[in-house]
């Protein structure tokens, strides 16, 4: 009598061509029996997994060793002996018995395997590929039927890498910015800047003492990983290679090599001092099973998967069992969520009727699935004009949309996500946006995945290439998880590394500390739907939204806030404050000083307490306690900041004479947190100048000193060595060259009002279109410096005195008619005023209603809007103080089109 083990016939075989029985010479290596726990054991396991994640339980984070797991949930020794004896009796060689007593692996000739399990192994043609697989469901003797639930390895179908290789070449240049190639490519330092990892490095959290296991199904060339780390100035740290015993040497698989390289390079680039293990065999499922059973690391990164419909019930049961054991042992399993958007089965032999499908093992509830985003700069300036010595240029966090390049790529190319058809809704998957669909939803989080826009640089097969896909997000997030483990242990929040499944805490953290995540609210993962036989033009998928969504999960992470506030996801909830870091000057000589000021603010009645530590390049500059106003200040010199080179510094625009303009150290302010507020951080950069270099440190409106710009505006540009002298103020028309200095915007010469070594005032030419980005270039004495300005159609700013009081009126009464002066309103008179010149024929005006003036929030009647006869770039607006304007010091604002000015103030009397 025999018991049939259902769910083992591959769904893809339904449309495959049977090529007949395999040759008898085939040897099946490391076939794995997944052993069956009793119903009582399974119920006990699920209770334990819940208790291990419940901070109120005495079993919270009480992880098991594999032997403890086996004693409680594994097959009894006598039953293990019975199974191994039966295998030996069928001429099959036992390779290993799992430490957790949940698996037995064996090797044998194919005819012996067929006889033992009552099924033939055939060859099939599937989607142009040749595979072997069991033709029917396997069976085992009835005496073993309650002991064996799954057999893995009767076929050679493997999970697929979830990486996307970009077709964009990396230009042979040290620059990877849009100014030189039209593309941005991500270096490790870019990712650390964008996702706020740098403050963790600055605080000493680099993964040291932690281990991350990367699993794969190919051998690698260690020289590729070494070259990657050398190129990006990461310290030497070779991964340790762990070949699963008794599986044979897989050799290098060209289809898997790029995946292995990027997983190893990017997990090690984020957790840069962690020990990285590469656990490999000829099957990534075998590799991950070994990493779990041997308890090799508290974090596992895996970037492989397949759609649930192709996995079959046996395959899904295997993954769920492995993930449960991993979590019970304290292992966090991070997995890519797929690259086919909401239709994970696209292009596969077996398709779901409506196209909606998700990727496994990311859909397993105990696995953290990582989806994809795209960096969307818009007109913002998020990149340096040049790269640092570490080949990076990102300046700050860059807004994100859901990754979906399907239209551009001509095929589904988007972050995987949706509702599982195999796993029900976990109790912990709740919160704003989580669907009430009764299903496990994926992804859980997301990281950049587009290979087309801001892909990741990877060294593979001896060359530098660019990759995207959720494959890269998984090792990046695994690296952050490694830093999280180090942080918790170092701060005494837990004794040893290990968090088990991250998912319960992830969703609790999103509710309690939303600042730990970047909520992605724009975009979708909609792709074409595929029926049982063909694809249609109908799109299926999910839109991003507030909170959780099936396109981007909970969003990407602010790594510092994520790590520092992790414990707030439990019963002890802390509020996430906001940290702002400023420097009193943005450019200074090495011998000069600047005041760094960190301001910590939070919503609510309590004021943050504690201290702020200022860092540069891993060096602590000093620690200052917060004042009652929630600020901390520290005075530092340019030489102190220069000491941060080279790791966290970038070379500024080189001068044409070959001298460097200086260094731009990235400074961090790390708030410690207190009993109410979680820790948080912010960064800024300060240019440290060489003695003679020309450098542009800032560009603002000359009226308000705000960073808003429009055609015709008077602009103030600040820096060093901008001119060799301070010439006399010119008359009309303004010159475009003054004292040997010129300024151009996108190559168009700008009229100059004033030039000095530290400041230039110029007018934005009217010919510069609105809603564009302009490159500002200063040239003086053979040197150049650049900056970028986002030009709006309307950006009115009002002239005020040093106390931000309106010029020329500081006090006025209700009903009085007064006037103000503004610049950058974007209004065009008829005839149009010439750039850099006073009006040719007296005062020119436009309709008074073209500008709106408010006083204390009350709209005022305007009687004149025009250009005075004496002005270049200045608009005069006459208006009447409303009879119902509030009394006292009130803000005055000007609105033109979509532009609204910064407020200036006037005192209103009765």
């Amino acid at each position: 009598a025999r018991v049939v083990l259902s769910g083992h016939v591959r769904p893809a075989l339904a449309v495959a061509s049977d090529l007949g029985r395999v040759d008898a010479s085939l040897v099946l290596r490391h076939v794995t029996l997944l052993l069956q726990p009793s119903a009582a054991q399974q119920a006990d396991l699920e209770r334990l997994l819940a208790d291990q994640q419940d901070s109120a339980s005495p079993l919270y984070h009480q992880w098991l060793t594999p032997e403890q797991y086996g004693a409680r949930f594994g097959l009894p020794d006598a039953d293990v002996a019975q199974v191994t004896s039966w295998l030996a009796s069928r001429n099959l060689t036992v390779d290993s018995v799992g430490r957790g007593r949940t698996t037995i692996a064996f090797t044998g000739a194919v005819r012996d395997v067929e006889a033992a399990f009552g099924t033939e192994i055939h060859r099939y043609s599937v989607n142009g590929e040749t595979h072997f697989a069991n033709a029917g469901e396997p069976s085992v003797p009835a005496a073993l039927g309650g002991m064996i639930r799954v057999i893995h390895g009767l076929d050679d179908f493997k999970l697929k890498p979830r990486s996307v290789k970009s077709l964009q070449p990396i230009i042979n240049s040290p620059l990877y910015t849009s100014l030189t190639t039209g593309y941005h490519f991500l270096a490790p330092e870019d990712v650390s800047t964008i996702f706020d990892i740098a403050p963790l490095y600055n605080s000493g959290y680099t993964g040291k003492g932690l281990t991350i296991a990367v699993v794969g199904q190919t051998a690698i060339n260690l020289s590729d990983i070494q070259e990657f780390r050398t190129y990006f100035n990461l310290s030497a740290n070779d991964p340790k290679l762990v070949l699963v015993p008794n599986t044979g040497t897989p050799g290098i698989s060209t289809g898997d090599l790029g995946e292995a390289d990027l997983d190893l390079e990017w997990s090690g680039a984020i957790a840069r001092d962690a020990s990285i293990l590469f656990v490999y065999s000829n099957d990534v499922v075998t590799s991950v099973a070994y990493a779990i059973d041997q308890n090799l690391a508290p974090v596992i990164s895996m970037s492989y998967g397949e759609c649930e419909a192709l996995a079959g019930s046996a395959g899904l049961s295997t993954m769920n069992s492995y993930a449960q054991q991993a979590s019970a042992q304290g292992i966090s399993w991070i997995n890519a969520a797929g690259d086919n958007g909401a239709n994970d089965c696209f292009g596969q032999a077996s398709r779901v009727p409506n196209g909606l499908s998700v990727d496994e093992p990311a859909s397993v509830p105990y696995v953290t699935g990582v989806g994809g985003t795209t960096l969307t700069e818009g007109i913002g300036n998020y990149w340096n004009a040049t790269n640092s010595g570490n080949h990076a240029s990102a300046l700050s966090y860059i807004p994100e949309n859901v990754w979906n390049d399907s239209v551009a790529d001509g095929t589904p190319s988007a972050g995987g996500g949706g509702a599982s058809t195999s796993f029900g809704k976990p109790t912990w998957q709740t919160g704003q946006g989580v669907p009430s669909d009764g299903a496990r939803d994926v992804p859980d989080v997301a990281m950049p995945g587009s290979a087309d826009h801001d892909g990741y640089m990877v060294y593979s097969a001896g060359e530098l290439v660019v990759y995207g896909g959720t494959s890269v997000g998984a090792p990046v997030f695994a690296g952050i998880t490694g830093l999280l483990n180090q942080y918790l242990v170092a701060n005494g929040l837990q004794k040893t590394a290990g968090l088990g499944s991250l998912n319960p805490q992830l969703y609790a953290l999103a509710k309690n500390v939303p600042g730990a995540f970047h909520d992605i609210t724009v975009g979708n993962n909609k792709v074409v739907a595929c029926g049982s036989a063909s694809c249609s033009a109908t799109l299926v998928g999910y839109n991003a939204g507030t909170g959780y969504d099936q396109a981007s999960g909970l969003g990407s992470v602010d790594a510092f806030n994520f790590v520092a506030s992790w414990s707030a996801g439990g019963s002890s909830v802390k509020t996430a404050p906001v940290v702002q870091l400023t420097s009193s000057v943005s450019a200074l000589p090495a011998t000069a000083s600047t005041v760094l000021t960190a301001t910590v603010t939070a919503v609510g009645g309590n004021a943050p307490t504690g201290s702020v530590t200022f860092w540069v390049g891993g060096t602590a500059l000093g620690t200052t306690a917060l004042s009652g106003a929630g600020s901390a200040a520290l005075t530092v010199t340019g030489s102190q900041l220069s000491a941060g080179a080279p790791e966290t510094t970038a070379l500024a625009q080189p001068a044409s004479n070959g001298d460097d303009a200086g260094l731009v150290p990235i400074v961090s302010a790390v708030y410690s947190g207190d009993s109410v507020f979680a820790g948080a951080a912010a960064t800024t950069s300060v240019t440290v100048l060489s003695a003679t270099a020309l450098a542009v440190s800032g560009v603002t409106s000359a009226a308000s000193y705000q960073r808003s710009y429009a055609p015709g505006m008077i602009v103030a540009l600040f820096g060093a060595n901008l001119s060799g002298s301070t010439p006399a103020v010119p008359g009309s028309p303004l010159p475009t060259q003054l004292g040997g200095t010129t300024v151009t915007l996108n190559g168009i010469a700008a009229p100059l009002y004033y030039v000095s070594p530290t400041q230039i005032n110029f007018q934005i030419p009217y010919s510069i279109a609105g809603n564009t980005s302009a490159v500002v270039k200063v040239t003086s004495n053979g040197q150049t410096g650049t900056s970028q300005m986002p030009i709006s159609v309307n950006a009115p700013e009002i002239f005020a005195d040093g106390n931000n009081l309106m010029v020329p009126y500081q006090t006025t009464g209700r009903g009085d008619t007064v006037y103000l002066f503004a610049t950058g309103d974007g209004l065009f008179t008829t005839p149009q005023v010439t750039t850099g010149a006073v009006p040719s024929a007296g005062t020119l005006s436009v309709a008074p209603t073209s500008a709106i003036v408010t006083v204390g929030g009350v709209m005022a009647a305007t009687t004149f809007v025009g250009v005075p006869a004496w002005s270049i770039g200045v608009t005069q607006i006459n208006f009447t103080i409303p009879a119902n304007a509030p009394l006292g010091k009130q803000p005055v604002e000007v609105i033109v089109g979509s532009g609204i000015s910064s407020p200036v103030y006037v005192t209103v009397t009765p």
Side-chain angles (χ1 to χ4, degrees):
R2 298 180 69 86
V3 174
V4 174
L5 305 179
S6 61
H8 285 74
V9 176
R10 285 277 177 176
L13 300 185
V15 293
S17 298
D18 191 334
L19 304 180
R21 200 173 181 187
V22 299
D23 188 84
S25 62
L26 177 66
V27 175
L28 300 184
R29 294 187 178 277
H30 213 75
V31 180
T32 302
L33 305 180
L34 188 67
L35 305 179
Q36 177 72 55
S38 67
Q41 283 179 310
Q42 186 62 38
D44 184 26
L45 172 59
E46 291 173 2
R47 283 194 298 271
L48 173 66
L49 292 171
D51 288 340
Q52 286 177 320
Q53 297 296 339
D54 182 357
S55 59
S57 169
L59 298 178
Y60 179 65
H61 283 197
Q62 297 298 307
W63 312 121
L64 304 182
T65 65
E67 288 73 21
Q68 290 171 329
Y69 187 90
R72 187 167 175 178
F73 308 113
L75 208 61
D77 288 341
D79 291 349
V80 170
Q82 187 175 353
V83 174
T84 57
S85 295
W86 174 75
L87 290 170
S89 73
R90 303 312 299 256
N91 203 32
L92 303 174
T93 301
V94 174
D95 296 333
S96 64
V97 175
R99 290 172 59 186
R101 296 216 302 270
T102 59
T103 59
I104 298 174
F106 66 88
T107 295
V110 68
R111 294 291 182 257
D112 292 329
V113 174
E114 289 175 328
F117 294 99
T119 183
E120 292 185 354
I121 308 297
H122 286 214
R123 292 199 181 276
Y124 296 90
S125 177
V126 186
N127 282 352
E129 298 178 352
T130 300
H131 291 276
F132 68 79
N134 48 293
E137 298 286 13
S139 62
V140 295
L144 306 180
M147 304 178 190
I148 302 171
R149 59 172 166 174
V150 174
I151 309 170
H152 176 77
L154 294 179
D155 60 60
D156 67 346
F157 285 89
K158 299 179 183 179
L159 303 186
K160 300 294 186 182
R162 293 318 188 198
S163 58
V164 179
K165 187 175 181 180
S166 174
L167 298 179
Q168 299 171 359
I170 293 185
I171 307 301
N172 186 22
S173 164
L175 307 178
Y176 306 110
T177 72
S178 60
L179 298 181
T180 57
T181 67
Y183 308 118
H184 297 292
F185 303 121
L186 295 175
E189 190 176 284
D190 288 322
V191 174
S192 74
T193 297
I194 295 168
F195 293 102
D196 204 20
I197 306 174
L200 292 171
Y201 298 152
N202 289 342
S203 301
Y205 303 113
T206 60
K208 190 174 182 62
L210 266 293
T211 302
I212 297 173
V214 173
V215 295
Q217 54 190 23
T218 181
I220 64 166
N221 295 311
L222 195 58
S223 59
D224 285 331
I225 285 76
Q226 293 169 337
E227 184 65 28
F228 176 87
R229 296 188 70 87
T230 299
Y231 188 74
F232 292 110
N233 294 322
L234 299 169
S235 60
N237 187 13
D238 291 348
K240 297 177 177 62
L241 308 184
V242 180
L243 175 63
V244 178
N246 301 310
T247 60
T249 303
I252 290 182
S253 166
T254 56
D256 297 283
L257 180 62
E259 181 64 70
D261 288 336
L262 73 86
D263 291 349
L264 291 168
E265 289 167 4
W266 276 94
S267 59
I270 302 303
R272 52 183 56 175
D273 290 328
S275 176
I276 308 296
L277 303 182
F278 183 49
V279 184
Y280 69 107
S281 65
N282 60 0
D283 185 340
V284 72
V285 176
T286 298
S287 304
V288 74
Y290 184 79
I292 294 167
D293 187 66
Q294 296 299 307
N295 215 24
L296 295 180
V299 180
I300 289 177
S301 177
M302 179 169 163
S303 293
Y304 285 79
E306 66 180 341
C307 74
E308 283 186 337
L310 288 182
S313 60
L316 292 168
S317 176
T318 298
M319 290 300 187
N320 192 55
S321 177
Y322 289 158
Q324 286 183 325
Q325 181 177 346
S327 188
Q329 294 173 190
I331 298 171
S332 303
W333 181 346
I334 317 299
N335 212 102
D339 301 336
N340 286 339
N343 183 0
D344 197 69
C345 291
F346 177 85
Q348 303 297 316
S350 175
R351 295 167 175 160
V352 292
N354 64 0
L356 292 172
S357 48
V358 297
D359 206 60
E360 63 86 15
S363 65
V364 174
Y366 300 94
V367 174
T368 299
V370 182
T373 70
T374 296
L375 302 179
T376 52
E377 295 90 339
I379 62 172
N381 181 22
Y382 297 100
W383 303 90
N384 263 323
T386 60
N387 286 75
S388 71
N390 299 328
H391 305 288
S393 59
L395 296 171
S396 65
Y397 172 71
I398 301 173
E400 300 167 88
N401 290 354
V402 177
W403 166 42
N404 195 336
D405 293 331
S406 301
V407 173
D409 294 352
T411 187
S413 183
S420 170
T421 58
S422 303
F423 300 105
K425 180 77 72 184
T427 57
W428 42 259
Q429 194 167 33
T430 60
Q432 183 181 16
V434 175
S436 300
D437 53 6
R440 155 69 165 145
D441 293 299
V442 286
D444 299 299
V445 294
M447 298 299 286
S450 173
D452 296 345
H453 184 74
D454 306 345
Y456 301 77
M457 288 186 279
V458 173
Y459 209 91
S460 183
E463 64 176 344
L464 194 62
V465 291
V466 173
Y467 273 96
T470 56
S471 270
V472 200
V476 167
F477 190 71
I480 293 172
T481 304
L483 302 181
L484 169 62
N485 274 272
Q486 183 190 10
Y487 177 92
L488 295 174
V489 173
N491 286 277
L493 298 173
Q494 60 185 55
K495 293 181 179 179
T496 59
L499 295 168
S501 174
L502 299 178
N503 294 343
Q505 195 79 333
L506 276 177
Y507 287 82
L509 186 65
K511 297 175 189 176
N512 298 323
V513 190
F517 298 88
H518 302 296
D519 189 11
I520 312 302
T521 60
V522 178
N524 62 72
N525 64 351
K526 295 180 180 180
V527 297
V528 293
C530 287
S532 58
S534 62
C535 293
S536 71
T538 303
L539 297 182
V540 296
Y542 306 93
N543 293 319
T546 302
Y548 180 87
D549 56 71
Q550 293 158 293
S552 63
L554 298 169
S556 64
V557 295
D558 179 302
F560 181 84
N561 289 342
F562 175 78
V563 168
S565 61
W566 178 260
S567 60
S571 56
S572 178
V573 178
K574 293 186 178 183
T575 302
V578 175
V579 179
Q580 291 181 311
L581 176 60
T582 59
S583 170
S584 59
V585 297
S586 57
L588 74 160
T591 56
S593 63
T594 182
V595 178
L596 302 173
T597 302
T599 304
V600 185
T601 57
V603 178
N606 295 322
T609 60
S611 62
V612 173
T613 301
F614 298 87
W615 297 81
V616 62
T619 301
L621 298 169
T623 299
T624 306
L626 286 178
S627 67
S631 64
L634 182 71
T635 301
V636 296
T637 65
S639 59
Q640 286 179 279
L641 299 181
S642 297
E647 183 180 9
T648 57
T649 61
L651 289 176
Q653 178 68 41
S656 59
N657 61 6
D659 295 332
D660 289 328
L663 296 173
V664 188
I666 306 299
V667 183
S668 302
V670 181
Y671 169 56
S672 62
D674 58 20
S675 59
V676 177
F677 297 102
T683 60
T684 191
S685 59
V686 182
T687 302
V688 181
L689 302 171
S690 62
T692 59
L694 185 155
V696 178
S697 59
V699 186
T700 69
S701 164
S704 63
Y705 298 100
Q706 300 297 312
R707 297 180 182 274
S708 58
Y709 319 95
M713 174 181 276
I714 305 175
V715 172
L717 181 148
F718 302 95
N721 300 303
L722 301 173
S723 173
S725 63
T726 305
V729 177
S732 177
L734 298 176
T736 56
Q737 191 268 4
L738 192 59
T741 297
T742 61
V743 176
T744 61
L745 283 79
N746 290 347
I748 301 173
L752 304 177
Y753 298 87
Y754 170 81
V755 165
S756 76
T758 58
Q759 181 175 341
I760 300 173
N761 289 358
F762 66 88
Q763 184 182 27
I764 298 176
Y766 286 106
S767 57
I768 298 290
N771 291 330
T772 189
S773 181
V775 175
V776 183
K777 181 178 180 181
V778 180
T779 303
S780 179
N781 298 319
Q783 297 192 87
T784 61
T786 62
S787 184
Q788 284 188 307
M789 299 166 52
I791 309 295
S792 303
V793 174
N794 310 105
E797 294 295 345
I798 307 171
F799 285 90
D801 65 11
N803 296 314
N804 204 30
L805 299 177
M806 188 178 74
V807 172
Y809 296 90
Q810 284 81 51
T811 301
T812 185
R814 288 172 171 169
D816 291 348
T817 296
V818 296
Y819 57 88
L820 58 78
F821 299 110
T823 187
D825 48 65
L827 295 173
F828 293 92
T829 60
T830 303
Q832 182 177 333
V833 177
T834 301
T835 298
V838 297
S840 58
T843 301
L844 302 182
S845 63
V846 295
T849 55
S850 60
I852 298 173
V853 178
T854 62
V855 180
V858 180
M859 185 181 298
T862 54
T863 56
F864 173 83
V865 178
V867 181
W870 49 265
S871 80
I872 302 174
V874 175
T875 297
Q876 178 179 324
I877 303 176
N878 296 3
F879 62 99
T880 302
I881 303 296
N884 58 340
L887 298 176
K889 187 176 180 180
Q890 300 299 328
V892 177
E893 295 176 324
V894 170
I895 303 171
V896 179
S898 60
I900 182 170
S901 71
S902 306
V904 300
Y905 291 86
V906 66
T907 298
V908 178
T909 60

